[in-house]
Amino acid sequence: APMEPLLLNRLLVLVTQREPLNTHSVGVLDLSGRNVGDTRAGHVGRPEHDAPYFYETLREGRPMMHGPLVPPWDRQPGLYVSAPIKDPDRRTLGVLRVRLEPTLLEPVLARQVDGLADAQGLLVDAGGQVVAAVG
């Protein structure tokens, strides 16, 4: 069964109220990976089925973190948190996807290289611009 608009709206409002500062956008994806509700209106209708946060979350059936990654429709790398949306009978209805602000990339990158001797980390976008650097 498709998700009802009021359920979509409630999910989006709940997530953005909990994470108002670090959230770039919150989207709800149906089982085909289509964006059916988003805090950024321009994202609604966009197919996101080929993004790891969609298909890995469906496969694993649990909340996950992804990234930094650059999806095909974006130029900036982002961190994504995703979780399956389930009805009261535990049937999966879709995926909740949160894209976090790029300012969170440096702390995540720092954790990746932490403990490596003389390590440096650079995150570069598709255009060759450095978007995060640590070390």
Side-chain angles (χ1 to χ4, degrees):
M3 288 175 276
E4 298 190 9
L6 286 175
L7 169 65
L8 294 178
N9 183 258
R10 202 172 84 223
L11 283 167
L12 295 174
V13 169
L14 281 171
V15 173
T16 49
Q17 283 178 343
R18 280 195 54 164
E19 283 289 343
L21 294 176
N22 296 330
T23 303
H24 176 270
S25 67
V26 180
V28 176
L29 313 178
D30 68 13
L31 287 174
S32 74
R34 194 171 77 86
N35 188 320
V36 293
D38 205 290
T39 53
R40 299 206 171 210
H43 295 181
V44 175
R46 182 173 66 188
E48 299 185 34
H49 60 275
D50 53 359
Y53 54 74
F54 173 71
Y55 59 79
E56 289 177 11
T57 302
L58 277 189
R59 186 180 66 220
E60 299 291 326
R62 62 180 173 80
M64 302 181 78
M65 187 160 190
H66 312 266
L69 63 89
V70 184
W73 52 83
D74 207 339
R75 287 189 296 281
Q76 292 299 317
L79 290 174
Y80 293 84
V81 178
S82 56
I85 301 167
K86 301 195 177 196
D87 71 10
D89 297 324
R90 310 297 297 151
R91 284 185 302 243
T92 301
L93 300 174
V95 171
L96 179 72
R97 182 263 302 132
V98 180
R99 184 186 193 281
L100 300 173
E101 283 294 348
T103 51
L104 294 174
L105 290 171
E106 281 185 12
V108 170
L109 195 56
R111 276 201 301 277
Q112 301 286 333
V113 300
D114 190 36
L116 300 174
D118 300 321
Q120 286 190 310
L122 280 182
L123 187 63
V124 182
D125 70 14
Q129 297 290 313
V130 174
V131 292
V134 296

